[in-house]
Amino acid sequence: MTLPAADQELLDAATALIRQRYLVGRHHIAAALRTRSGQIVTGLHLDTYVGRASVCAEAVAVGQAMAQIGPNDPITDIVSVRHPRPTEQNQNIQVVAPCGICREMLRDFAPDARVLLTDETGGSLRAYNPSDLLPLKYHRKP
């Protein structure tokens, strides 16, 4: 599978982070996003013993982007990868889809972004819009 260079760069950033920081029971997913200006920001999943306190890698990356760069440089692309557990046969790091909560967050903070996921066959990467991943989103009334 040959990816466009910009998509490969994003995938490489997420993969490098999870390879460097993988820790069983703590960090098994990393995300990388790009802003319109080309800046890449990464985030690491924070697993906790109390599930409600866990934070997804996508949320960490979006929070980092908002804190470091701000809303005037919108998120254009994002990808997440998962490191396998030591007991799994397949030890390849793989692209994973954002959870439902992250899909909501991406619709709020990056509605026009490209979310990179493997296609339905599990083969090549394809870009999806957050609204494709979460149709009929809930909206609060002002």
Side-chain angles (χ1 to χ4, degrees):
M1 139 177 78
T2 302
L3 288 176
D7 291 349
Q8 187 65 55
E9 180 183 33
L10 206 58
L11 182 59
D12 290 346
T15 301
L17 177 61
I18 200 58
R19 276 198 178 119
Q20 181 181 31
R21 297 289 184 228
Y22 174 71
L23 184 59
V24 175
R26 288 285 185 247
H27 314 297
H28 66 277
I29 296 180
L33 62 79
R34 179 181 290 105
T35 65
R36 186 186 313 153
S37 69
Q39 293 188 65
I40 292 178
V41 178
T42 58
L44 188 62
H45 172 257
L46 306 173
D47 202 0
T48 64
Y49 293 111
V50 178
R52 286 184 53 186
S54 295
V55 182
C56 295
E58 298 91 341
V60 172
V62 169
Q64 287 279 75
M66 294 300 113
Q68 294 174 12
I69 301 165
N72 294 328
D73 190 6
I75 297 165
T76 59
D77 308 278
I78 188 165
V79 66
S80 302
V81 296
R82 177 186 172 274
H83 194 291
R85 289 176 176 81
T87 56
E88 294 178 44
Q89 279 192 338
N90 183 350
Q91 286 295 301
N92 294 321
I93 293 171
Q94 297 188 9
V95 172
V96 291
C99 72
I101 292 170
C102 287
R103 292 173 192 216
E104 287 273 355
M105 180 203 51
L106 290 171
R107 290 273 319 254
D108 288 342
F109 287 92
D112 299 319
R114 296 169 62 244
V115 181
L116 299 175
L117 301 172
T118 53
D119 64 17
E120 295 80 17
T121 66
S124 59
L125 283 185
R126 181 176 158 210
Y128 296 84
N129 183 277
S131 63
D132 296 331
L133 303 176
L134 186 70
L136 306 173
K137 181 186 179 335
Y138 171 80
H139 294 281
R140 284 184 277 181
K141 296 194 189 257

